[in-house]
Amino acid sequence: MKIVLLGSGNVATHLGKALKDSGHIILQIWSRTRGHAQALGQSLQCDFTSNLSHINEDGEIYIIAVSDDAIDEIASSFPLQNKILVHTSGTTDLDIPGISGVFYPLQTFSKQKDVDFSKIPIAIEGRNSEVTEQLNYLAKSVSSKVVLMNSEQRKALHIAAVFACNFSNHLYAIADKILSDNGLDFDLIKPLITETAEKVQFNSPVTVQTGPAVRRDEITLNKHLDFLKDMTAFKDLYEQLSQSIINFDQKA
Amino acid sequence: MKIVLLGSGNVATHLGKALKDSGHIILQIWSRTRGHAQALGQSLQCDFTSNLSHINEDGEIYIIAVSDDAIDEIASSFPLQNKILVHTSGTTDLDIPGISGVFYPLQTFSKQKDVDFSKIPIAIEGRNSEVTEQLNYLAKSVSSKVVLMNSEQRKALHIAAVFACNFSNHLYAIADKILSDNGLDFDLIKPLITETAEKVQFNSPVTVQTGPAVRRDEITLNKHLDFLKDMTAFKDLYEQLSQSIINFDQKA
């Protein structure tokens, strides 16, 4: 398909590369910042612009990959009629003037690391069956896991990802801080992090929960809270997460 | 070395197997529950007993692998003099009557899954250099990552592991619940969980933090909190973890 990408951040960069590698034609990159448009355009060997009124008219699909708060404005300023214009946001509804579909790749993209797009789930949603069909075709050309879902489900998926990914990474950062404060290396817990993530690939997380909270091991819990008494923020999180494990287990 | 294992749970089971596989001789299993002692004894093809006064006197090292609150009692009832008696607890001090050392393998053991012991860090601590030397020898025979640390550092390591492993797994369980409540499959976020854990193998966690909180994306944060308004416990955790990311980032 002939594609125009609106955006130049991590999602636009990784998605553009994956689409190009799958044989699609990236006609043009648009970014509000001309230097960013140029950099990604050069990287993908295609045209670029920072002016929405110069947008290439030959695209079959126009993909907005920008921060959520900028989607509205781009969609309302988009100059072409009767084109498929989609956004890539987990938490933004389909129901925005000018938007005809959603193409949401569920992954944590960072500049530092390449990703294997074929394993990334893509949630799609179209205003009508024609759009849905085109999005399904495009998504299946880059990923083996394409799921049709509505805006409410997509938001649930995004929130689940925030818990499982963003918040877990923050817990790794807290662990790193506790270790370094005690003269220990973060390397020590890397195997444990890998093992914990691997375990839930084949087991339901609640069935493989370990640690003092799920054992109701009050002695250890109290020793840990005492250890953290001068790190109030970490102590509060330790208490709340432990209580959440105890309550969750009782419900499950 | 000739080893007697006191305990029959996950740690005793996995450790016993790893020690035997490394060429050590497991002389005997002791467990308070005769059936448990027998089961592990048969699995490791060695003697077993549920009576502390029948403990084999030929051991070079006696390893207590039981829940933290039972260590004290076993150590004080242990009938043999001048033997190396160690515990395997992260949060229990070395300074317990009868205990001469600590041998703490940092891993999340579950019955369901085998582990590669060679990659598991082992924290050791001895009352004197002779004990430390023996523990170092034993630990190095099963693991490539042996670290000498004091009781305070070991407790910090255990707490870091609770954050990075036990609490992360709980966040996976919350994600699972949010997905299933919305008719979505946990499979959808498995690649993301793997990617998040892999990313910190080569990057400091704080430098690869992604998500709405670190971006100060109030619009998305508020949409997520609104979505979670009827799941009060998850909403509270979402708020506290997001705030923790914002505060952590400001300090870093």
Side-chain angles (χ1 to χ4, degrees):
Chain A
M1 293 180 81
K2 285 181 268 183
I3 298 164
V4 174
L5 273 176
L6 298 104
S8 57
N10 286 330
V11 176
T13 302
H14 286 284
L15 181 58
K17 187 172 179 309
L19 290 168
K20 189 176 154 77
D21 289 350
S22 301
H24 298 287
I25 297 161
I26 312 293
L27 290 178
Q28 190 185 41
I29 304 294
W30 170 89
S31 170
R32 190 187 308 276
T33 311
R34 189 173 168 79
H36 295 171
Q38 182 170 15
L40 186 53
Q42 283 172 345
S43 155
L44 296 173
Q45 297 171 288
C46 68
D47 186 29
F48 61 90
T49 180
S50 60
N51 189 336
L52 265 185
S53 60
H54 293 168
I55 211 88
N56 189 311
E57 296 182 10
D58 297 331
E60 292 166 279
I61 186 161
Y62 294 76
I63 303 177
I64 302 176
V66 299
S67 61
D68 287 13
D69 57 356
I71 295 171
D72 250 328
E73 196 197 325
I74 294 172
S76 62
S77 321
F78 190 70
L80 309 179
Q81 302 297 317
N82 303 317
K83 292 289 190 181
I84 299 182
L85 178 67
V86 305
H87 72 66
T88 51
S89 161
T91 293
T92 306
D93 285 346
L94 168 63
D95 189 23
I96 287 181
I99 291 291
S100 42
V102 182
F103 184 99
Y104 173 52
L106 179 73
Q107 189 51 278
T108 165
F109 298 106
S110 44
K111 289 246 158 66
Q112 299 96 324
K113 195 169 181 306
D114 273 352
V115 293
D116 178 1
F117 229 94
S118 69
K119 291 181 187 159
I120 295 181
I122 299 178
I124 58 166
E125 184 182 13
R127 262 195 207 274
N128 55 52
S129 58
E130 192 203 337
V131 172
T132 305
E133 207 172 291
Q134 294 279 308
L135 289 176
N136 191 40
Y137 169 79
L138 186 69
K140 283 191 168 155
S141 71
V142 291
S143 165
S144 58
K145 186 101 190 170
V146 178
V147 191
L148 182 65
M149 61 180 77
N150 64 35
S151 291
E152 197 70 0
Q153 287 177 309
R154 192 172 59 253
K155 201 185 289 176
L157 178 61
H158 189 195
I159 294 170
V162 169
F163 274 96
C165 162
N166 303 152
F167 291 164
S168 284
N169 186 77
H170 180 56
L171 298 180
Y172 303 158
I174 291 175
D176 189 9
K177 177 84 170 70
I178 292 170
L179 291 169
S180 66
D181 281 356
N182 287 276
L184 297 171
D185 200 304
F186 183 60
D187 280 353
L188 281 170
I189 60 163
K190 286 180 180 175
L192 192 65
I193 286 172
T194 302
E195 171 70 13
T196 304
E198 271 180 16
K199 219 186 248 188
V200 297
Q201 303 296 316
F202 307 100
N203 297 279
S204 160
V206 73
T207 64
V208 292
Q209 184 67 54
T210 56
V214 76
R215 288 198 310 269
R216 314 285 194 278
D217 178 350
E218 298 282 346
I219 294 173
T220 302
L221 290 173
N222 288 329
K223 281 184 186 170
H224 287 182
L225 290 172
D226 184 59
F227 187 95
L228 295 169
K229 62 180 181 295
D230 297 327
M231 310 175 90
T232 321
F234 295 170
K235 178 169 176 282
D236 289 350
L237 274 183
Y238 188 103
E239 259 182 318
Q240 285 144 3
L241 285 161
S242 295
Q243 199 53 54
S244 181
I245 289 173
I246 291 168
N247 295 342
F248 197 86
D249 194 49
Q250 283 168 343
K251 277 182 286 185
Chain B
M1 294 179 82
K2 285 183 269 184
I3 298 163
V4 174
L5 273 175
L6 299 102
S8 57
N10 286 331
V11 176
T13 302
H14 286 283
L15 181 58
K17 187 172 180 309
L19 290 167
K20 189 175 153 78
D21 289 348
S22 301
H24 299 286
I25 297 160
I26 312 294
L27 290 178
Q28 190 184 42
I29 303 295
W30 171 90
S31 171
R32 189 188 308 278
T33 311
R34 190 172 167 80
H36 295 172
Q38 182 169 15
L40 186 54
Q42 285 173 345
S43 154
L44 296 172
Q45 296 171 289
C46 69
D47 186 29
F48 62 89
T49 181
S50 59
N51 190 336
L52 265 185
S53 59
H54 293 167
I55 210 88
N56 190 311
E57 296 182 11
D58 297 331
E60 292 166 278
I61 185 160
Y62 295 76
I63 302 177
I64 302 176
V66 300
S67 61
D68 286 15
D69 56 356
I71 296 171
D72 250 327
E73 195 197 326
I74 294 172
S76 64
S77 320
F78 190 72
L80 309 178
Q81 302 296 316
N82 302 318
K83 291 289 189 181
I84 299 182
L85 178 67
V86 305
H87 73 67
T88 52
S89 162
T91 293
T92 306
D93 284 347
L94 167 63
D95 188 25
I96 288 180
I99 291 291
S100 41
V102 182
F103 184 98
Y104 172 52
L106 179 73
Q107 190 50 279
T108 165
F109 298 107
S110 46
K111 288 246 156 67
Q112 300 96 320
K113 194 169 182 305
D114 273 352
V115 291
D116 177 1
F117 230 94
S118 69
K119 291 180 186 160
I120 295 180
I122 299 178
I124 58 166
E125 184 181 13
R127 261 195 207 276
N128 56 51
S129 58
E130 191 203 338
V131 172
T132 304
E133 207 172 291
Q134 295 279 306
L135 289 176
N136 192 38
Y137 170 79
L138 187 69
K140 282 191 169 157
S141 71
V142 291
S143 165
S144 58
K145 185 100 191 173
V146 178
V147 190
L148 182 64
M149 61 180 77
N150 64 35
S151 292
E152 197 71 0
Q153 288 177 308
R154 192 171 59 252
K155 201 184 290 176
L157 177 61
H158 189 194
I159 293 170
V162 169
F163 274 96
C165 162
N166 302 151
F167 290 164
S168 283
N169 185 77
H170 180 56
L171 297 180
Y172 303 157
I174 290 175
D176 189 9
K177 179 84 170 69
I178 292 170
L179 290 170
S180 68
D181 281 357
N182 286 277
L184 298 170
D185 201 304
F186 183 60
D187 280 354
L188 281 170
I189 60 163
K190 286 180 179 174
L192 192 64
I193 287 172
T194 302
E195 171 71 12
T196 304
E198 271 180 16
K199 219 187 247 187
V200 296
Q201 304 296 316
F202 306 100
N203 297 280
S204 161
V206 73
T207 64
V208 291
Q209 184 68 53
T210 56
V214 77
R215 288 199 309 269
R216 314 285 194 279
D217 178 350
E218 298 283 347
I219 294 173
T220 302
L221 291 172
N222 287 330
K223 281 184 186 171
H224 287 182
L225 290 172
D226 184 59
F227 186 95
L228 294 168
K229 63 181 181 294
D230 297 327
M231 311 176 91
T232 321
F234 295 170
K235 179 170 175 281
D236 289 350
L237 274 182
Y238 187 102
E239 259 183 317
Q240 284 144 3
L241 285 161
S242 294
Q243 199 54 53
S244 181
I245 289 173
I246 290 168
N247 296 341
F248 196 87
D249 193 49
Q250 284 167 341
K251 276 183 287 187

